[in-house]
Amino acid sequence: QVQLVESGGGLVQAGSSLRLSCAASGRTFSIFDMGWFRQAPGKDRSFVARISWSRGSTYYADSVKGRFTISKDNAKNTAYLQMNSLKPEDTAVYYCAARDGANDEYKYWGQGTQVTVSS
């Protein structure tokens, strides 16, 4: 099992920045990649970004390209999501997730952290 704990959410004004962290523990050696997802009120959860745990390759949703950056620190078993130029539509609960293989579903999830962007 892998346990994930997010932190770093908060209330900010549009145009501001936030950095989210996701600390992993447990069977971290099994992690293939980690991703960030978000769920806005009344909407389905959607993909934001992911990073390969070994190679560090990244992939982003079009809505956040150029504004968000995902990174990792393997020594700390932690992934980060740097969010710049935040918009009110970025308001959501942000979740980190991990999976064991490229064709696997994300089966390890954190508890979520709220990000609220005011206009």
Side-chain angles (χ1 to χ4, degrees):
Q1 292 290 328
V2 174
Q3 294 78 41
L4 303 173
V5 178
E6 303 103 332
S7 60
L11 170 64
V12 296
Q13 292 187 331
S16 299
S17 299
L18 274 177
R19 189 177 80 155
L20 306 182
S21 300
C22 176
S25 60
R27 293 172 57 90
T28 57
F29 59 85
S30 72
I31 295 175
F32 171 76
D33 69 16
M34 291 183 69
W36 286 95
F37 296 76
R38 64 187 181 186
Q39 186 166 20
K43 296 187 177 181
D44 293 333
R45 187 161 55 192
S46 62
F47 168 78
V48 175
R50 69 171 181 259
I51 186 165
S52 165
W53 208 238
S54 59
R55 298 185 177 185
S57 54
T58 58
Y59 185 75
Y60 297 91
D62 288 343
S63 59
V64 305
K65 277 182 184 176
R67 299 189 300 122
F68 291 11
T69 302
I70 189 170
S71 62
K72 63 184 179 69
D73 184 334
N74 289 77
K76 295 182 179 180
N77 289 322
T78 300
Y80 304 95
L81 186 68
Q82 177 67 43
M83 305 185 294
N84 298 329
S85 302
L86 282 161
K87 305 175 182 179
E89 51 263 44
D90 294 317
T91 295
V93 177
Y94 283 71
Y95 299 90
C96 69
R99 59 181 176 174
D100 296 331
N103 295 320
D104 292 351
E105 292 185 357
Y106 286 92
K107 63 179 181 180
Y108 308 112
W109 291 85
Q111 81 287 355
T113 185
Q114 177 71 47
V115 172
T116 304
V117 185
S118 63
S119 57

